[in-house]
Amino acid sequence: MDTLMAEVVAQRMNASVPAHPGLQHEASFTSFPPSRSPSSISTRNDNKKGRSPQPPMLREDEGSLNSSRNSSLPPPTGKPKSSVRLRSQYPADSLENHVEYILVASFDIDRGSVMEHQYPGPISGDETMLAELMLPDQAHVRSQDWTIFFLHKDTSADEEERETRRERRRKRRRRKEGREDADDATAGAEEGDGDDDGDETTDDGLSDDSDEDIDTDGPPLVYVLNLVNTKQDNTVKRGAIVKAMAICTRHSFLHIYKPLLLLALEEYFRAPVLETLASLYNALNAMDLSLLPKLSMMEQYVLQASDSKDMFIEKFDKMIRQRKAKDAARASDPPETASISDLKPKTYASPRDTHEFESKVNYNGIPVPIKVPTALSPETVGDFSLIKLIQTFSTPHSTQPQPFALHPHLTTSGAYTHPIIVLVNALLTQKRIIFLGHNRPSGEVAEAVLAACALASGGLLRGFVRYAFPYTDLTKIDDLLKVPGFIAGVTNPAFAHKPEWWDLLCDLPTGRMKISHRIESVPVSDGVHFFQQNGILNGAGSQGGVDAKIDPTGDTHFMETLLQSIANRHGENAIRARWRSWVLKFTRIASAFEETVYGASALYIGSHETDVGAYGVSGHGFVWPDEASRMRELAANVYRIEGWRTTRSYYSFVQDLARRWDKRPVRGIDFHHQHDRLRCLRLSHDQSAAIYLAFARAVEEAGLPPNSTSDTDLAASLERSLTLSGESAPQRERGEQLQYDTILQLLIVVPESNSGLFYIALGLFHPRQDVRIAVVGLLERIVEHAAGRHFWATLGRFAKLAFFRVKREEVGLGR
């Protein structure tokens, strides 16, 4: 079969058709300026020295860069052109440090929590408050404890530099489009070709000033990882020395610094001087991540949903080839100051797992291995376990269920709603949530807070982490209560006796949750009126009093299958994928709810384009088997949806959808809607044929030459859709890059956790021959795709045999 597959790909490569490849932000507890002054930034920019001369290496005999390892297929051809430079996520000449500050605090029996050192400079704000956060309650009774908290950075200097770069990009783009004026031409000549800073268009098809990296909620957060150690010493008061060391970074994967903090704090106990912090600071900022490629948003989504260890390995190999070319150029014309070791040829290793990039930090002569996640989901901070969070509150509920006080937003399945669903509902509807860990390490409550944020986000929604406080105490309660919808971790049991401070209390030691009797009541909304008038929602249902045997939302069944997956040891990634699907389904149901009740939805942009039928099919949104099922599920979710529609996560999601819509490769068809029709509905042969042909046509036409005249019907349909909407959105130029992105757009709809290519491959058994041949063409292009080939590898043998059979039919027909 592998030989046949290679022949098929070779045929396609030799064919006549070319290969296709916000809201107002609340005041934070503290803020501080950038760790470098503008003058130091410009000085570093002039020098532009790499962070580390020691990228990942291996022996010469291990340096093979076989991009198609673990696969019998040839290297994919349906990918962006290799002539385009691939950019690093963390360039060696970047202006941003990995670590902004290193702090040390200690506990003094007379003065309390004291800030001892700050490197490389002092932090503005309340140092006493920072010291108290670094030394949590009862820290002296444990030999070691971890805490995490967030700071809001003053980025005025960084913004000025960023805006200068954006202006250069805009002028460069105008020159390329031939619409520069005299001033722009002069400015462009002054800039020179060497002042790009890596800002050209990259393999993701978007310019580097893409909105993907813009946080509309405010300045980027600075994440603080803090380690507290207690050393017994009879020569001091209280018999112990308590010190804490914290690393402040803008990387949300701050857990990678734990081994370095352990070493550095031990060193600080031996040598409590500023040079110890300087050594750690320099070592961390010398970490080399320049061979980690920058992936587009769709590539990150596909990578996160896949378990394949060599997904997008081609991009890592390309980064290595670029580095080798740079090394060769440097060796041919070495600078006068270059040493022999600098000129020695280096070998680089492809990653063993593309989900993580392996590097190292040389600290005090110790090479500490580091694994950095390649693709980061929104609202994912640090290292946590969704499985642990789910089991903590599921086990007591399953052994001895206790009823909740009814609340429409929270108890969507009645008094015995699963606690995890209550927690997610509270997060989605922006309730005040406290995780209480009495007599537990502060690191445990911090982990629960971070896991809860990721749970509700699902990698799709934002607005949780920015208002989360992984650890806080009673001294911060006044500031905490000013924050709407906070998620906080505490260890002081006094919080449990103040129900006016919280809406939902999650007790970690007992695994129980409690809804406050002081929680605000829910006003009757337009959505509730709508379903009550239609006789679908009654008074009992409106108060959450539904029969426990009925599961109108599907949440009970979902939690049962989720717990079964945990029991079967499916792993953390599988559980996160299931929650991503749950959140995605919720947002799609909310979109259908808005269209039903209000006539239009801000959660679905471009329905005027997908409903025109540009590719022969129309429709958008979530799919139900019949109208009755649709109305029942919408009514069951009415309170949860109405509660979410007034929150910051809702508005952030609407903004995200609007920014992404213009970058969407294909907008005339809703892949998700059409795939759900194949998966959920009983369609006629003609209806299913239209979907298969639409998929194949969308992918094929995306790769046609830019000025092709074979798609006049599609152009007319798109023009009509834009005329109806009164918009004139720009269309992306067709070619290999657009086809590459279009296949990614389709693969996002069919992750491995959602049957993969199974339902698309069913088209190989369609009674119409033209449909079967079109599906073969679609699958061939997917096989040639850098990510699609992994989806093909997971397809069943029966479908692959059908593929080859139809391919032989196509050859026999002389096509």
Side-chain angles (χ1 to χ4, degrees), residues 10-82:
Q11 289 175 10
R12 287 199 55 79
M13 294 176 65
N14 297 326
S16 58
V17 179
H20 297 279
L23 295 174
Q24 183 178 357
H25 182 59
E26 293 292 327
S28 62
F29 284 173
T30 184
S31 61
F32 54 91
S35 57
R36 298 180 306 280
S37 64
S39 59
S40 64
I41 292 175
S42 61
T43 302
R44 179 175 176 178
N45 190 27
D46 293 337
N47 295 333
K48 285 194 172 181
K49 294 181 180 179
R51 279 212 176 98
S52 172
Q54 299 293 333
M57 297 183 183
L58 79 169
R59 297 191 307 272
E60 193 69 44
D61 57 351
E62 296 176 353
S64 174
L65 300 180
N66 180 12
S67 63
S68 57
R69 70 164 187 245
N70 299 331
S71 174
S72 59
L73 300 178
T77 59
K79 58 184 179 181
K81 297 179 181 178
S82 59

Side-chain angles (χ1 to χ4, degrees), residues 31 47 260 330 375 425 481 522 532:
S31 61
N47 295 333
L260 279 306
R330 186 184 298 113
N425 290 340
L481 295 180
V522 177
Q532 285 180 345

Side-chain angles (χ1 to χ4, degrees), residues 205-222:
L206 303 173
S207 60
D208 288 343
D209 57 348
S210 167
D211 287 338
E212 291 176 19
D213 298 329
I214 296 177
D215 188 351
T216 58
D217 294 336
L221 290 176
V222 172

Side-chain angles (χ1 to χ4, degrees), residues 288-520:
D288 181 36
L289 303 180
S290 60
L291 290 179
L292 178 59
K294 182 176 182 179
L295 304 182
S296 69
M297 179 186 63
M298 290 190 295
E299 288 170 335
Q300 292 186 48
Y301 197 106
V302 170
L303 179 61
Q304 291 166 1
S306 172
D307 292 329
S308 176
K309 293 185 181 300
D310 60 341
M311 179 74 74
F312 299 119
I313 187 68
E314 302 80 16
K315 289 184 174 288
F316 289 86
D317 293 342
K318 184 174 180 179
M319 293 293 296
I320 293 176
R321 290 195 298 270
Q322 291 177 178
R323 173 63 65 83
K324 284 186 171 182
K326 188 175 181 180
D327 290 347
R330 186 184 298 113
S332 63
D333 187 17
E336 297 180 358
T337 58
S339 62
I340 297 178
S341 60
D342 293 335
L343 300 178
K344 185 178 180 180
K346 300 180 178 66
T347 53
Y348 306 96
S350 298
R352 291 172 290 183
D353 184 353
T354 54
H355 293 80
E356 296 177 326
F357 180 80
E358 299 182 13
S359 184
K360 62 182 178 181
V361 174
N362 291 310
Y363 176 68
N364 284 352
I366 302 174
V368 181
I370 296 293
K371 290 185 178 181
V372 177
T374 302
L376 295 173
S377 299
E379 308 292 293
T380 301
V381 179
D383 189 22
F384 55 83
S385 172
L386 290 189
I387 293 178
K388 181 179 178 181
L389 176 69
I390 293 170
Q391 288 180 325
T392 297
F393 295 100
S394 295
T395 302
H397 177 76
S398 59
T399 56
Q400 189 178 359
Q402 295 180 359
F404 284 101
L406 294 178
H407 188 274
H409 284 172
L410 306 183
T411 54
T412 49
S413 297
Y416 290 92
T417 301
H418 195 282
I420 295 297
I421 298 298
V422 173
L423 173 61
V424 172
N425 290 340
L427 289 160
L428 290 174
T429 56
Q430 202 170 299
K431 299 297 186 289
R432 300 172 300 168
I433 302 171
I434 290 287
F435 283 89
L436 174 61
H438 181 46
N439 289 331
R440 296 292 181 92
S442 57
E444 187 173 324
V445 297
E447 181 182 337
V449 171
L450 298 176
C453 292
L455 192 76
S457 168
L460 299 173
L461 305 180
R462 295 186 293 110
F464 305 105
V465 168
R466 187 169 287 274
Y467 296 85
F469 303 90
Y471 172 76
T472 190
D473 55 38
L474 278 175
T475 63
K476 320 295 187 304
I477 187 61
D478 292 336
D479 292 317
L480 182 66
L481 295 180
K482 296 176 183 177
V483 179
F486 60 78
I487 310 105
V490 301
T491 57
N492 195 318
F495 282 88
H497 306 296
K498 294 288 186 178
E500 65 273 16
W501 289 353
W502 43 265
D503 299 319
L504 180 67
L505 179 71
C506 306
D507 194 318
L508 292 172
T510 63
R512 297 289 185 181
M513 295 185 188
K514 182 179 180 181
I515 298 175
S516 172
H517 66 273
R518 303 286 293 274
I519 190 172
E520 292 184 2

